[in-house]
């Protein structure tokens, strides 16, 4: 059997030429063995018609084995020549032939260095994608946390607004003066709430880009 891997032929046929030749060899060999058994059985039946014949079945078996060995040696020689012809002229793809699925390699050839550079770039992009995905997950977690803070701040602002309305309804001037400090804090909280809203918009925009 040939030791040439013939990988390009395997790509085209879907099997290696050596595998094909091995199966043909086994099929021929099995057929030869079966034929010898048939011949042996016919000879034994013929001998049953000659009671005086001194040839025993054991002798016939020995003769069959010798003849089988002789046939197998000649068959191996013939098959070796047949295999050589088939592998060179039938199951072989010439060096100047390019399979259709490999046309892209001819139109866009790459050297080993260029291919390695492309592999490195792909690896770098994969790492960048993982980093951005991780950052996006962290930003989404922060957004959820800010939503909870925003809800609490809105409750506080509503409480301040209600308290301010009560003071106005009752005309409590002294209380209003003491309430100035609370009003300033309310304005600060409104500024914080606005800042959180702006951050939330930026995070949503970043998620859309991902």
């Amino acid at each position: 059997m040939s030791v040439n891997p013939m990988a390009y032929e395997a790509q085209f046929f879907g099997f290696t030429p050596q595998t094909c030749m091995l199966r043909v060899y086994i099929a021929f060999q099995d057929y030869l063995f079966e034929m010898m058994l048939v011949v042996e059985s016919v000879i034994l039946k013929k001998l049953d018609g000659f009671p005086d014949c001194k040839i025993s079945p054991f002798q016939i078996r020995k003769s069959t084995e010798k003849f089988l060995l002789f046939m197998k040696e000649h068959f191996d020689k013939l098959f070796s020549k047949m295999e050589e012809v088939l592998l060179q002229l039938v199951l072989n793809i010439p060096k100047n032939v390019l399979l259709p699925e490999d046309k892209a390699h001819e139109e866009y050839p790459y050297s080993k260095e260029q291919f390695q550079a492309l592999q490195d770039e792909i690896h770098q992009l994969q790492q960048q994608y993982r980093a951005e995905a991780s950052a996006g997950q962290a930003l989404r977690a922060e957004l959820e946390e800010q939503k909870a803070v925003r809800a609490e701040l809105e409750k506080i602002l509503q409480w301040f607004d209600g308290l301010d309305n009560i003071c106005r309804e009752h005309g409590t001037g002294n209380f209003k003066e003491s309430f100035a400090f609370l009003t300033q804090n309310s304005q600060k909280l409104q500024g914080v709430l606005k800042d959180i809203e702006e951050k939330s918009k930026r995070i949503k925009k970043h998620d859309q880009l991902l």
Side-chain angles (χ1 to χ4, degrees):
M1 290 292 176
S2 173
V3 296
N4 182 6
M6 302 184 74
Y8 208 47
E9 286 76 7
Q11 178 182 334
F12 176 72
F13 292 113
F15 56 84
T16 62
Q18 290 89 343
T19 301
C20 177
M21 297 307 303
L22 178 61
R23 291 178 178 177
V24 172
Y25 176 82
I26 293 174
F28 272 108
Q29 186 173 252
D30 291 343
Y31 180 76
L32 179 61
F33 290 164
E34 291 175 1
M35 287 301 299
M36 294 308 302
L37 290 175
V38 171
V39 171
E40 183 183 57
S41 64
V42 171
I43 293 174
L44 290 173
K45 288 181 181 179
K46 293 291 184 180
L47 289 178
D48 290 339
F50 299 95
D52 297 334
C53 183
K54 297 181 180 180
I55 301 177
S56 65
F58 177 76
Q59 291 175 319
I60 294 176
R61 171 53 61 92
K62 295 294 290 184
S63 298
T64 302
E65 290 177 352
K66 289 181 180 180
F67 184 69
L68 177 62
L69 180 61
F70 171 80
M71 292 292 294
K72 188 176 181 305
E73 290 177 352
H74 283 73
F75 170 74
D76 289 344
K77 293 178 181 179
L78 293 174
F79 187 86
S80 178
K81 295 179 180 179
M82 182 179 70
E83 178 190 23
E84 184 178 355
V85 173
L86 290 176
L87 291 179
Q88 290 181 358
L89 302 180
V90 179
L91 300 175
N92 180 55
I93 297 178
K95 299 298 182 182
N96 60 334
V97 174
L98 191 65
L99 296 180
E101 57 267 29
D102 293 331
K103 289 292 185 181
H105 297 294
E106 183 180 31
E107 297 177 2
Y108 309 100
Y110 275 90
S111 63
K112 291 184 179 180
E113 292 75 13
Q114 290 174 323
F115 179 76
Q116 184 61 43
L118 184 61
Q119 291 289 93
D120 294 340
E121 183 178 355
I122 292 174
H123 181 67
Q124 183 178 359
L125 289 174
Q126 288 176 339
Q127 288 183 331
Q128 184 178 353
Y129 171 78
R130 294 191 189 98
E132 291 182 356
S134 178
Q137 185 177 2
L139 288 174
R140 285 190 290 272
E142 183 180 353
L143 177 60
E144 294 298 324
E145 183 179 353
Q146 289 184 356
K147 286 181 179 179
V149 175
R150 177 182 177 182
E152 293 297 326
L153 289 175
E154 287 178 347
K155 291 180 182 179
I156 295 174
L157 289 175
Q158 290 175 359
W159 180 80
F160 277 125
D161 290 340
L163 186 59
D164 186 44
N165 291 332
I166 292 173
C167 292
R168 290 177 181 176
E169 290 176 359
H170 292 81
T172 309
N174 292 334
F175 183 80
K176 284 185 177 181
E177 293 176 359
S178 63
F179 190 71
F181 176 75
L182 295 176
T183 302
Q184 293 177 358
N185 287 338
S186 175
Q187 293 175 350
K188 290 181 180 179
L189 288 173
Q190 288 177 348
V192 172
L193 180 61
K194 184 178 180 181
D195 182 59
I196 291 176
E197 290 177 348
E198 291 178 353
K199 288 184 177 180
S200 298
K201 291 179 181 179
R202 289 198 298 270
I203 291 173
K204 290 180 179 179
K205 186 176 180 181
H206 182 271
D207 288 341
Q208 292 176 353
L209 293 175
L210 289 178

